[in-house]
mmCIF file of all heavy atoms in Angstrom:
data_model
loop_
_atom_site.group_PDB
_atom_site.id
_atom_site.type_symbol
_atom_site.label_atom_id
_atom_site.label_comp_id
_atom_site.label_asym_id
_atom_site.label_seq_id
_atom_site.Cartn_x
_atom_site.Cartn_y
_atom_site.Cartn_z
ATOM 1 N N LEU E 22 77.951 161.366 306.407
ATOM 2 C CA LEU E 22 77.238 160.097 306.748
ATOM 3 C C LEU E 22 77.845 158.966 306.028
ATOM 4 O O LEU E 22 78.078 157.890 306.699
ATOM 5 C CB LEU E 22 75.763 160.166 306.407
ATOM 6 C CG LEU E 22 74.930 161.130 307.473
ATOM 7 C CD1 LEU E 22 73.553 161.422 306.839
ATOM 8 C CD2 LEU E 22 74.778 160.613 308.852
ATOM 9 N N ASP E 23 78.059 159.107 304.814
ATOM 10 C CA ASP E 23 78.752 158.078 304.017
ATOM 11 C C ASP E 23 80.171 157.665 304.410
ATOM 12 O O ASP E 23 80.465 156.525 304.391
ATOM 13 C CB ASP E 23 78.693 158.426 302.472
ATOM 14 C CG ASP E 23 77.475 158.574 301.719
ATOM 15 O OD1 ASP E 23 76.434 157.898 302.245
ATOM 16 O OD2 ASP E 23 77.363 159.115 300.701
ATOM 17 N N LEU E 24 80.841 158.777 304.971
ATOM 18 C CA LEU E 24 82.200 158.460 305.401
ATOM 19 C C LEU E 24 82.377 158.257 306.882
ATOM 20 O O LEU E 24 83.388 157.971 307.435
ATOM 21 C CB LEU E 24 83.056 159.770 305.014
ATOM 22 C CG LEU E 24 83.200 160.034 303.511
ATOM 23 C CD1 LEU E 24 83.600 161.526 303.329
ATOM 24 C CD2 LEU E 24 84.021 159.010 302.829
ATOM 25 N N ASN E 25 81.161 158.324 307.617
ATOM 26 C CA ASN E 25 81.206 158.205 309.074
ATOM 27 C C ASN E 25 82.064 159.294 309.718
ATOM 28 O O ASN E 25 82.788 159.016 310.783
ATOM 29 C CB ASN E 25 81.618 156.811 309.562
ATOM 30 C CG ASN E 25 81.163 156.480 310.879
ATOM 31 O OD1 ASN E 25 80.106 157.071 311.438
ATOM 32 N ND2 ASN E 25 81.970 155.737 311.617
ATOM 33 N N LEU E 26 82.172 160.456 309.114
ATOM 34 C CA LEU E 26 82.996 161.443 309.525
ATOM 35 C C LEU E 26 82.205 162.577 310.491
ATOM 36 O O LEU E 26 81.189 163.016 309.975
ATOM 37 C CB LEU E 26 83.596 162.297 308.251
ATOM 38 C CG LEU E 26 84.699 163.348 308.647
ATOM 39 C CD1 LEU E 26 85.951 162.771 309.065
ATOM 40 C CD2 LEU E 26 84.821 164.219 307.414
ATOM 41 N N PRO E 27 82.681 162.816 311.669
ATOM 42 C CA PRO E 27 82.021 163.763 312.497
ATOM 43 C C PRO E 27 82.048 165.202 311.891
ATOM 44 O O PRO E 27 83.038 165.725 311.246
ATOM 45 C CB PRO E 27 82.775 163.727 313.783
ATOM 46 C CG PRO E 27 83.419 162.357 313.788
ATOM 47 C CD PRO E 27 83.776 162.268 312.388
ATOM 48 N N LEU E 28 80.955 165.929 312.085
ATOM 49 C CA LEU E 28 80.784 167.411 311.794
ATOM 50 C C LEU E 28 80.933 168.184 313.122
ATOM 51 O O LEU E 28 80.567 167.804 314.144
ATOM 52 C CB LEU E 28 79.410 167.626 311.136
ATOM 53 C CG LEU E 28 79.132 166.916 309.810
ATOM 54 C CD1 LEU E 28 77.656 167.153 309.405
ATOM 55 C CD2 LEU E 28 80.186 167.377 308.756
ATOM 56 N N GLU E 29 81.722 169.249 312.997
ATOM 57 C CA GLU E 29 81.954 170.141 314.098
ATOM 58 C C GLU E 29 80.840 171.249 314.330
ATOM 59 O O GLU E 29 80.724 172.052 313.267
ATOM 60 C CB GLU E 29 83.338 170.796 314.035
ATOM 61 C CG GLU E 29 83.611 171.629 315.234
ATOM 62 C CD GLU E 29 84.776 172.706 314.831
ATOM 63 O OE1 GLU E 29 84.472 173.634 314.034
ATOM 64 O OE2 GLU E 29 85.823 172.535 315.449
ATOM 65 N N ILE E 30 80.305 171.292 315.458
ATOM 66 C CA ILE E 30 79.538 172.540 315.781
ATOM 67 C C ILE E 30 80.602 173.387 316.559
ATOM 68 O O ILE E 30 81.270 173.035 317.392
ATOM 69 C CB ILE E 30 78.395 172.197 316.781
ATOM 70 C CG1 ILE E 30 77.484 171.361 316.172
ATOM 71 C CG2 ILE E 30 77.832 173.493 317.412
ATOM 72 C CD1 ILE E 30 76.244 170.875 317.058
ATOM 73 N N ASN E 31 80.739 174.587 315.909
ATOM 74 C CA ASN E 31 81.899 175.597 316.263
ATOM 75 C C ASN E 31 81.505 176.627 317.128
ATOM 76 O O ASN E 31 80.610 177.458 316.716
ATOM 77 C CB ASN E 31 82.451 176.026 314.965
ATOM 78 C CG ASN E 31 83.685 176.784 315.145
ATOM 79 O OD1 ASN E 31 83.652 178.053 315.633
ATOM 80 N ND2 ASN E 31 84.822 176.366 314.660
ATOM 81 N N GLY E 32 82.065 176.744 318.354
ATOM 82 C CA GLY E 32 81.572 177.743 319.322
ATOM 83 C C GLY E 32 82.001 179.102 318.974
ATOM 84 O O GLY E 32 81.336 180.078 319.363
ATOM 85 N N LEU E 33 83.066 179.201 318.204
ATOM 86 C CA LEU E 33 83.497 180.573 317.864
ATOM 87 C C LEU E 33 82.513 181.403 317.052
ATOM 88 O O LEU E 33 82.348 182.627 317.208
ATOM 89 C CB LEU E 33 84.839 180.587 317.019
ATOM 90 C CG LEU E 33 85.399 181.830 316.612
ATOM 91 C CD1 LEU E 33 85.787 182.821 317.721
ATOM 92 C CD2 LEU E 33 86.667 181.616 315.578
ATOM 93 N N GLY E 34 81.758 180.675 316.251
ATOM 94 C CA GLY E 34 80.809 181.346 315.396
ATOM 95 C C GLY E 34 79.672 182.066 316.153
ATOM 96 O O GLY E 34 79.169 183.167 315.761
ATOM 97 N N SER E 35 79.431 181.517 317.319
ATOM 98 C CA SER E 35 78.380 182.196 318.150
ATOM 99 C C SER E 35 78.839 183.433 318.893
ATOM 100 O O SER E 35 78.005 184.157 319.354
ATOM 101 C CB SER E 35 77.777 181.145 319.180
ATOM 102 O OG SER E 35 78.860 180.854 320.068
ATOM 103 N N THR E 36 80.155 183.813 318.710
ATOM 104 C CA THR E 36 80.598 184.944 319.369
ATOM 105 C C THR E 36 80.791 186.084 318.258
ATOM 106 O O THR E 36 81.108 187.199 318.693
ATOM 107 C CB THR E 36 82.041 184.704 319.952
ATOM 108 O OG1 THR E 36 82.922 184.513 318.998
ATOM 109 C CG2 THR E 36 81.919 183.472 320.915
ATOM 110 N N ARG E 37 80.581 185.716 317.086
ATOM 111 C CA ARG E 37 80.779 186.816 315.956
ATOM 112 C C ARG E 37 79.553 187.623 315.741
ATOM 113 O O ARG E 37 78.479 187.278 316.161
ATOM 114 C CB ARG E 37 81.340 186.094 314.679
ATOM 115 C CG ARG E 37 82.625 185.442 314.958
ATOM 116 C CD ARG E 37 83.276 184.982 313.677
ATOM 117 N NE ARG E 37 84.841 184.744 313.877
ATOM 118 C CZ ARG E 37 85.615 184.145 312.983
ATOM 119 N NH1 ARG E 37 85.174 183.753 311.917
ATOM 120 N NH2 ARG E 37 86.867 184.061 313.292
ATOM 121 N N GLU E 38 79.783 188.741 315.141
ATOM 122 C CA GLU E 38 78.645 189.670 314.942
ATOM 123 C C GLU E 38 77.488 188.933 314.098
ATOM 124 O O GLU E 38 77.624 188.388 313.174
ATOM 125 C CB GLU E 38 79.117 190.829 314.081
ATOM 126 C CG GLU E 38 77.966 191.879 313.810
ATOM 127 C CD GLU E 38 78.462 193.086 313.129
ATOM 128 O OE1 GLU E 38 79.676 193.218 312.706
ATOM 129 O OE2 GLU E 38 77.740 193.989 312.851
ATOM 130 N N PRO E 39 76.185 189.011 314.814
ATOM 131 C CA PRO E 39 75.147 188.230 314.126
ATOM 132 C C PRO E 39 74.883 188.871 312.712
ATOM 133 O O PRO E 39 75.131 189.898 312.505
ATOM 134 C CB PRO E 39 73.981 188.539 315.120
ATOM 135 C CG PRO E 39 74.608 188.869 316.336
ATOM 136 C CD PRO E 39 75.883 189.637 316.028
ATOM 137 N N LEU E 40 74.184 188.017 311.953
ATOM 138 C CA LEU E 40 73.637 188.505 310.623
ATOM 139 C C LEU E 40 72.282 188.812 310.774
ATOM 140 O O LEU E 40 71.367 188.196 311.374
ATOM 141 C CB LEU E 40 73.839 187.284 309.632
ATOM 142 C CG LEU E 40 75.300 186.735 309.367
ATOM 143 C CD1 LEU E 40 75.218 185.608 308.432
ATOM 144 C CD2 LEU E 40 76.163 187.751 308.823
ATOM 145 N N ARG E 41 71.868 189.876 309.910
ATOM 146 C CA ARG E 41 70.525 190.168 309.765
ATOM 147 C C ARG E 41 70.012 189.459 308.489
ATOM 148 O O ARG E 41 70.611 189.733 307.368
ATOM 149 C CB ARG E 41 70.360 191.637 309.630
ATOM 150 C CG ARG E 41 68.871 192.115 309.530
ATOM 151 C CD ARG E 41 68.740 193.630 309.465
ATOM 152 N NE ARG E 41 69.204 194.259 310.607
ATOM 153 C CZ ARG E 41 68.653 194.390 311.866
ATOM 154 N NH1 ARG E 41 67.459 193.829 311.938
ATOM 155 N NH2 ARG E 41 69.222 194.926 312.853
ATOM 156 N N THR E 42 69.003 188.661 308.483
ATOM 157 C CA THR E 42 68.554 187.892 307.438
ATOM 158 C C THR E 42 67.023 188.067 307.259
ATOM 159 O O THR E 42 66.338 188.747 308.222
ATOM 160 C CB THR E 42 68.846 186.396 307.538
ATOM 161 O OG1 THR E 42 67.959 185.869 308.455
ATOM 162 C CG2 THR E 42 70.325 186.178 307.919
ATOM 163 N N GLU E 43 66.399 187.425 306.343
ATOM 164 C CA GLU E 43 64.998 187.578 306.083
ATOM 165 C C GLU E 43 64.275 186.979 307.220
ATOM 166 O O GLU E 43 63.059 187.243 307.451
ATOM 167 C CB GLU E 43 64.614 187.028 304.668
ATOM 168 C CG GLU E 43 65.185 187.712 303.539
ATOM 169 C CD GLU E 43 64.762 187.171 302.161
ATOM 170 O OE1 GLU E 43 64.220 185.980 302.246
ATOM 171 O OE2 GLU E 43 65.037 187.770 301.149
ATOM 172 N N ARG E 44 64.818 186.022 307.831
ATOM 173 C CA ARG E 44 64.322 185.261 308.993
ATOM 174 C C ARG E 44 64.630 185.772 310.333
ATOM 175 O O ARG E 44 64.371 185.210 311.297
ATOM 176 C CB ARG E 44 64.661 183.704 308.957
ATOM 177 C CG ARG E 44 64.074 183.020 307.674
ATOM 178 C CD ARG E 44 64.404 181.608 307.739
ATOM 179 N NE ARG E 44 63.927 180.993 306.516
ATOM 180 C CZ ARG E 44 63.687 179.595 306.461
ATOM 181 N NH1 ARG E 44 63.938 178.810 307.514
ATOM 182 N NH2 ARG E 44 63.402 179.000 305.277
ATOM 183 N N GLY E 45 65.297 187.025 310.334
ATOM 184 C CA GLY E 45 65.675 187.719 311.532
ATOM 185 C C GLY E 45 67.254 187.519 311.828
ATOM 186 O O GLY E 45 68.034 187.124 310.943
ATOM 187 N N MET E 46 67.618 187.980 313.060
ATOM 188 C CA MET E 46 69.035 187.925 313.417
ATOM 189 C C MET E 46 69.381 186.559 313.733
ATOM 190 O O MET E 46 68.676 185.811 314.419
ATOM 191 C CB MET E 46 69.274 188.879 314.597
ATOM 192 C CG MET E 46 68.853 190.337 314.387
ATOM 193 S SD MET E 46 69.902 191.095 313.097
ATOM 194 C CE MET E 46 71.540 191.030 313.910
ATOM 195 N N ARG E 47 70.556 186.167 313.331
ATOM 196 C CA ARG E 47 71.030 184.833 313.564
ATOM 197 C C ARG E 47 72.476 184.741 313.651
ATOM 198 O O ARG E 47 73.291 185.576 313.130
ATOM 199 C CB ARG E 47 70.539 183.873 312.524
ATOM 200 C CG ARG E 47 70.815 184.177 311.163
ATOM 201 C CD ARG E 47 70.399 183.141 310.128
ATOM 202 N NE ARG E 47 68.934 182.996 310.198
ATOM 203 C CZ ARG E 47 68.285 181.813 310.229
ATOM 204 N NH1 ARG E 47 69.057 180.666 310.171
ATOM 205 N NH2 ARG E 47 67.041 181.677 310.203
ATOM 206 N N TYR E 48 73.110 183.634 314.123
ATOM 207 C CA TYR E 48 74.558 183.502 314.078
ATOM 208 C C TYR E 48 74.999 183.425 312.659
ATOM 209 O O TYR E 48 74.356 182.905 311.709
ATOM 210 C CB TYR E 48 74.888 182.168 314.827
ATOM 211 C CG TYR E 48 74.751 182.066 316.234
ATOM 212 C CD1 TYR E 48 74.320 180.859 316.841
ATOM 213 C CD2 TYR E 48 74.932 183.128 317.070
ATOM 214 C CE1 TYR E 48 74.142 180.699 318.260
ATOM 215 C CE2 TYR E 48 74.744 183.089 318.403
ATOM 216 C CZ TYR E 48 74.312 181.872 318.983
ATOM 217 O OH TYR E 48 74.138 181.840 320.378
ATOM 218 N N GLN E 49 76.204 183.843 312.507
ATOM 219 C CA GLN E 49 76.851 183.565 311.138
ATOM 220 C C GLN E 49 76.978 182.001 310.994
ATOM 221 O O GLN E 49 76.716 181.417 309.859
ATOM 222 C CB GLN E 49 78.298 184.073 311.043
ATOM 223 C CG GLN E 49 78.253 185.772 311.075
ATOM 224 C CD GLN E 49 79.623 186.231 310.897
ATOM 225 O OE1 GLN E 49 80.478 185.731 310.194
ATOM 226 N NE2 GLN E 49 79.931 187.453 311.475
ATOM 227 N N TYR E 50 77.407 181.345 312.025
ATOM 228 C CA TYR E 50 77.538 179.917 312.164
ATOM 229 C C TYR E 50 77.734 179.679 313.718
ATOM 230 O O TYR E 50 78.202 180.671 314.330
ATOM 231 C CB TYR E 50 78.598 179.282 311.318
ATOM 232 C CG TYR E 50 79.956 179.747 311.648
ATOM 233 C CD1 TYR E 50 80.873 179.038 312.524
ATOM 234 C CD2 TYR E 50 80.454 180.912 311.149
ATOM 235 C CE1 TYR E 50 82.076 179.485 312.813
ATOM 236 C CE2 TYR E 50 81.649 181.391 311.466
ATOM 237 C CZ TYR E 50 82.561 180.633 312.286
ATOM 238 O OH TYR E 50 83.824 181.132 312.574
ATOM 239 N N PRO E 51 77.226 178.621 314.177
ATOM 240 C CA PRO E 51 76.464 177.522 313.700
ATOM 241 C C PRO E 51 75.140 178.067 313.219
ATOM 242 O O PRO E 51 74.435 178.825 313.786
ATOM 243 C CB PRO E 51 76.404 176.463 314.755
ATOM 244 C CG PRO E 51 76.430 177.301 316.018
ATOM 245 C CD PRO E 51 77.462 178.372 315.816
ATOM 246 N N TYR E 52 74.653 177.495 312.030
ATOM 247 C CA TYR E 52 73.448 177.944 311.340
ATOM 248 C C TYR E 52 72.333 176.903 311.663
ATOM 249 O O TYR E 52 72.514 175.662 311.295
ATOM 250 C CB TYR E 52 73.754 178.027 309.847
ATOM 251 C CG TYR E 52 72.708 178.989 309.087
ATOM 252 C CD1 TYR E 52 73.113 180.316 308.987
ATOM 253 C CD2 TYR E 52 71.594 178.547 308.628
ATOM 254 C CE1 TYR E 52 72.381 181.188 308.265
ATOM 255 C CE2 TYR E 52 70.789 179.291 307.971
ATOM 256 C CZ TYR E 52 71.049 180.715 307.707
ATOM 257 O OH TYR E 52 70.277 181.559 307.067
ATOM 258 N N VAL E 53 71.244 177.354 312.207
ATOM 259 C CA VAL E 53 70.114 176.411 312.654
ATOM 260 C C VAL E 53 69.657 175.534 311.718
ATOM 261 O O VAL E 53 69.672 174.295 312.036
ATOM 262 C CB VAL E 53 68.980 177.349 313.204
ATOM 263 C CG1 VAL E 53 67.868 176.480 313.573
ATOM 264 C CG2 VAL E 53 69.433 178.013 314.573
ATOM 265 N N GLU E 54 69.322 175.977 310.518
ATOM 266 C CA GLU E 54 68.737 174.956 309.566
ATOM 267 C C GLU E 54 69.729 173.887 309.119
ATOM 268 O O GLU E 54 69.233 172.677 308.904
ATOM 269 C CB GLU E 54 68.266 175.793 308.311
ATOM 270 C CG GLU E 54 66.968 176.537 308.519
ATOM 271 C CD GLU E 54 67.137 177.890 309.225
ATOM 272 O OE1 GLU E 54 68.261 178.189 309.597
ATOM 273 O OE2 GLU E 54 66.160 178.643 309.359
ATOM 274 N N PHE E 55 71.032 174.279 308.965
ATOM 275 C CA PHE E 55 71.967 173.152 308.649
ATOM 276 C C PHE E 55 71.936 172.087 309.738
ATOM 277 O O PHE E 55 71.958 170.887 309.423
ATOM 278 C CB PHE E 55 73.380 173.868 308.625
ATOM 279 C CG PHE E 55 74.504 172.837 308.309
ATOM 280 C CD1 PHE E 55 75.024 172.811 307.068
ATOM 281 C CD2 PHE E 55 74.976 172.096 309.404
ATOM 282 C CE1 PHE E 55 76.009 171.850 306.803
ATOM 283 C CE2 PHE E 55 76.035 171.118 309.037
ATOM 284 C CZ PHE E 55 76.568 171.045 307.766
ATOM 285 N N TRP E 56 71.992 172.533 311.056
ATOM 286 C CA TRP E 56 72.058 171.479 312.079
ATOM 287 C C TRP E 56 70.592 170.837 312.269
ATOM 288 O O TRP E 56 70.657 169.616 312.716
ATOM 289 C CB TRP E 56 72.518 172.180 313.355
ATOM 290 C CG TRP E 56 73.982 172.533 313.122
ATOM 291 C CD1 TRP E 56 74.458 173.910 312.947
ATOM 292 C CD2 TRP E 56 75.090 171.651 313.003
ATOM 293 N NE1 TRP E 56 75.810 173.862 312.649
ATOM 294 C CE2 TRP E 56 76.142 172.424 312.674
ATOM 295 C CE3 TRP E 56 75.307 170.339 313.132
ATOM 296 C CZ2 TRP E 56 77.506 171.942 312.512
ATOM 297 C CZ3 TRP E 56 76.548 169.699 312.929
ATOM 298 C CH2 TRP E 56 77.603 170.612 312.677
ATOM 299 N N GLU E 57 69.612 171.433 311.950
ATOM 300 C CA GLU E 57 68.299 170.670 311.921
ATOM 301 C C GLU E 57 68.446 169.474 310.860
ATOM 302 O O GLU E 57 67.975 168.331 311.245
ATOM 303 C CB GLU E 57 67.176 171.692 311.462
ATOM 304 C CG GLU E 57 66.747 172.687 312.629
ATOM 305 C CD GLU E 57 65.697 173.587 312.111
ATOM 306 O OE1 GLU E 57 65.503 173.778 310.836
ATOM 307 O OE2 GLU E 57 65.025 174.173 313.056
ATOM 308 N N LEU E 58 68.957 169.811 309.723
ATOM 309 C CA LEU E 58 69.085 168.659 308.766
ATOM 310 C C LEU E 58 70.133 167.602 309.275
ATOM 311 O O LEU E 58 69.737 166.408 309.092
ATOM 312 C CB LEU E 58 69.575 169.265 307.465
ATOM 313 C CG LEU E 58 68.756 169.989 306.589
ATOM 314 C CD1 LEU E 58 69.351 170.673 305.321
ATOM 315 C CD2 LEU E 58 67.519 169.203 306.089
ATOM 316 N N ALA E 59 71.077 168.086 309.898
ATOM 317 C CA ALA E 59 72.178 167.135 310.351
ATOM 318 C C ALA E 59 71.492 166.204 311.398
ATOM 319 O O ALA E 59 71.757 165.036 311.468
ATOM 320 C CB ALA E 59 73.373 167.925 310.910
ATOM 321 N N ALA E 60 70.718 166.783 312.329
ATOM 322 C CA ALA E 60 70.012 166.019 313.321
ATOM 323 C C ALA E 60 68.994 165.055 312.737
ATOM 324 O O ALA E 60 68.921 163.880 313.164
ATOM 325 C CB ALA E 60 69.347 166.903 314.392
ATOM 326 N N GLN E 61 68.236 165.492 311.751
ATOM 327 C CA GLN E 61 67.280 164.624 311.064
ATOM 328 C C GLN E 61 67.892 163.380 310.573
ATOM 329 O O GLN E 61 67.283 162.360 310.422
ATOM 330 C CB GLN E 61 66.486 165.431 310.076
ATOM 331 C CG GLN E 61 65.597 166.388 310.701
ATOM 332 C CD GLN E 61 65.090 167.423 309.527
ATOM 333 O OE1 GLN E 61 65.176 167.155 308.445
ATOM 334 N NE2 GLN E 61 64.491 168.532 310.031
ATOM 335 N N LYS E 62 69.096 163.609 309.994
ATOM 336 C CA LYS E 62 69.793 162.440 309.200
ATOM 337 C C LYS E 62 70.683 161.693 310.050
ATOM 338 O O LYS E 62 71.203 160.638 309.754
ATOM 339 C CB LYS E 62 70.514 163.120 308.072
ATOM 340 C CG LYS E 62 69.756 163.538 306.918
ATOM 341 C CD LYS E 62 70.448 163.987 305.775
ATOM 342 C CE LYS E 62 69.688 164.156 304.461
ATOM 343 N NZ LYS E 62 69.575 162.700 303.864
ATOM 344 N N GLY E 63 70.899 162.040 311.430
ATOM 345 C CA GLY E 63 71.518 161.317 312.357
ATOM 346 C C GLY E 63 73.129 161.499 312.153
ATOM 347 O O GLY E 63 73.927 160.587 312.416
ATOM 348 N N ALA E 64 73.623 162.640 311.805
ATOM 349 C CA ALA E 64 75.028 162.939 311.682
ATOM 350 C C ALA E 64 75.839 162.805 312.974
ATOM 351 O O ALA E 64 75.208 163.167 314.150
ATOM 352 C CB ALA E 64 75.299 164.246 311.114
ATOM 353 N N ARG E 65 76.955 162.242 313.009
ATOM 354 C CA ARG E 65 77.869 162.436 314.143
ATOM 355 C C ARG E 65 78.434 163.825 314.327
ATOM 356 O O ARG E 65 78.765 164.411 313.383
ATOM 357 C CB ARG E 65 78.957 161.400 314.036
ATOM 358 C CG ARG E 65 78.568 160.003 313.795
ATOM 359 C CD ARG E 65 79.681 159.060 313.535
ATOM 360 N NE ARG E 65 80.537 158.885 314.723
ATOM 361 C CZ ARG E 65 81.911 158.617 314.623
ATOM 362 N NH1 ARG E 65 82.523 158.681 313.481
ATOM 363 N NH2 ARG E 65 82.500 158.442 315.707
ATOM 364 N N VAL E 66 78.500 164.235 315.605
ATOM 365 C CA VAL E 66 78.815 165.567 315.897
ATOM 366 C C VAL E 66 79.925 165.655 316.954
ATOM 367 O O VAL E 66 79.901 164.815 317.954
ATOM 368 C CB VAL E 66 77.552 166.377 316.302
ATOM 369 C CG1 VAL E 66 77.920 167.713 316.981
ATOM 370 C CG2 VAL E 66 76.625 166.641 315.169
#
């Protein structure tokens, strides 16, 4: 945000073997909570 630099949502991560976590199965990346924060703060994507 300070640098006005876009962050990439990366499609390759969604094709990789999912992770088993305490909150259930999820992508290795893109990681939901990261992007929830990015959206809340208005990051460029």
Side-chain angles (χ1 to χ4, degrees):
L22 289 167
D23 289 343
L24 297 163
N25 199 33
L26 185 71
L28 300 173
E29 178 202 68
I30 296 178
N31 185 288
L33 178 62
S35 65
T36 71
R37 293 190 163 172
E38 183 177 357
L40 298 176
R41 186 178 299 279
T42 73
E43 292 177 357
R44 299 190 181 192
M46 300 297 292
R47 56 176 59 224
Y48 293 146
Q49 295 185 34
Y50 61 98
Y52 202 92
V53 167
E54 285 83 355
F55 180 99
W56 293 104
E57 286 177 340
L58 287 176
Q61 290 167 14
K62 285 182 162 281
R65 300 172 73 210
V66 162

